[in-house]
Amino acid sequence: MIKPKPLVAGNWKMNGLRASLNEIIKLNDFLGRSAPKCDVLICPPVTLISSIVQLNLEHVFIGSQDCHTNTNGAHTGDISAEMLRDIGCSHIIIGHSERRVGHGEDNEIVNKKATQAQTVGTTAIICVGETIHEYEAKKTLEVIVSQINSSIPSHATAENTIIAYEPIWAIGSGKVPTVGSVKEVHAVIRKVLVERFGNDGDKINILYGGSVNASNAHTLMSVVNVNGALVGGASLKADDFFNIISVYDQFD
Ligand code: PGA
């Protein structure tokens, strides 16, 4: 297969009411006028997904922020990958640190959820990242390699899998790692992906996430093996998010 386009993905987390649909409509209009060189995805809270899908937006993929490890059954309050696919999701974020930490999701659970997402035909965006303590103890690479090996199902392809490297200490903090550090971590992720998945491993998109904004996006997206961004806070407003997406217009 050909290498997928880079992806700039917005993770709205637990933010957004129906009035926020206007931001997505605005974003879609911006994208319609600019022909961006990357794919664009919004992962709103699940309550907004159906309404957004019904807008039939041409330029924005819609995804979810989580799914369950099972297809259906007695799991009160949970939502399966199959249900998300059924209402129009193309991607599902899996193993975000706010799920890993806040909901006790370990690599095994993340692997099962990713398998569900892939099985129903969505692309799993599998998140990895080290804590501040691991970073300070210089354990980043060790932690990331272990998360990559344990969290990614063995049937991963460039079509059904995207990796997001998000240092936990960089999320929502305004702090970002140095370019050298991002380069090093993404190179190691690429190496492990190629070892495990061969040619597909070479094509799987690896996103960087953690305090990406319009000022640092160009620098971060220029790093080798950074194939897009996972953006939280700066994805909530169409103008801010579009400024990040537009960085790709400056690349050949
Ligand atoms: P942030 O969040 O851009 O607000 O740091 C990123 C994320 O958690 O995916």
Side-chain angles (χ1 to χ4, degrees):
M1 77 168 290
I2 47 166
K3 190 165 170 51
K5 275 193 198 177
L7 175 73
V8 177
N11 172 11
W12 278 15
K13 310 191 179 185
M14 199 170 71
N15 296 294
L17 301 174
R18 281 178 297 165
S20 318
L21 297 188
N22 292 330
E23 293 299 325
I24 302 221
I25 293 168
K26 194 169 164 189
L27 177 68
N28 189 63
D29 288 347
F30 285 159
L31 295 170
R33 279 183 255 135
S34 69
K37 292 191 184 143
C38 59
D39 285 333
V40 176
L41 167 72
I42 292 279
C43 298
V46 96
T47 47
L48 294 180
I49 292 174
S50 278
S51 312
I52 295 173
V53 168
Q54 278 161 30
L55 295 171
N56 283 318
L57 303 177
E58 250 181 279
H59 308 290
V60 184
F61 288 102
I62 302 301
S64 180
Q65 303 168 15
D66 180 42
C67 68
H68 195 263
T69 50
N70 287 303
T71 314
N72 50 39
H75 304 286
T76 302
D78 282 314
I79 296 171
S80 73
E82 187 180 45
M83 293 167 179
L84 294 165
R85 176 75 205 158
D86 187 47
I87 57 166
C89 287
S90 53
H91 297 67
I92 305 179
I93 299 173
I94 309 280
H96 189 281
S97 64
E98 287 151 18
R99 302 284 324 168
R100 287 182 185 259
V101 176
H103 296 262
E105 295 186 5
D106 58 14
N107 289 328
E108 197 187 334
I109 293 175
V110 172
N111 191 311
K112 282 191 183 144
K113 290 188 171 192
T115 300
Q116 281 289 321
Q118 294 164 339
T119 305
V120 301
T122 59
T123 300
I125 302 179
I126 303 171
C127 302
V128 296
E130 80 282 5
T131 64
I132 187 66
H133 301 298
E134 290 160 346
Y135 173 75
E136 283 170 354
K138 305 206 181 312
K139 290 198 167 142
T140 299
L141 297 179
E142 189 187 316
V143 169
I144 299 304
V145 169
S146 151
Q147 287 181 342
I148 292 282
N149 278 327
S150 318
S151 309
I152 304 181
S154 50
H155 53 269
T157 67
E159 227 163 324
N160 68 21
T161 305
I162 291 172
I163 309 300
Y165 168 55
E166 299 202 303
I168 297 175
W169 51 272
I171 294 175
S173 66
K175 294 182 193 146
V176 288
T178 60
V179 165
S181 159
V182 173
K183 192 172 169 187
E184 185 182 29
V185 176
H186 279 241
V188 167
I189 295 174
R190 177 68 68 210
K191 184 166 169 280
V192 178
L193 291 176
V194 171
E195 276 165 14
R196 281 193 66 191
F197 306 110
N199 197 23
D200 264 272
D202 199 33
K203 296 190 172 71
I204 290 174
N205 273 340
I206 309 172
L207 315 183
Y208 168 79
S211 294
V212 175
N213 58 38
S215 315
N216 60 26
H218 187 273
T219 307
L220 290 163
M221 298 308 108
S222 307
V223 177
V224 183
N225 285 311
V226 173
N227 314 117
L230 182 54
V231 185
S235 70
L236 294 171
K237 293 275 171 234
D239 295 84
D240 297 340
F241 196 41
F242 183 66
N243 285 336
I244 295 172
I245 295 160
S246 302
V247 156
Y248 275 96
D249 295 346
Q250 296 165 42
F251 298 155
D252 292 333

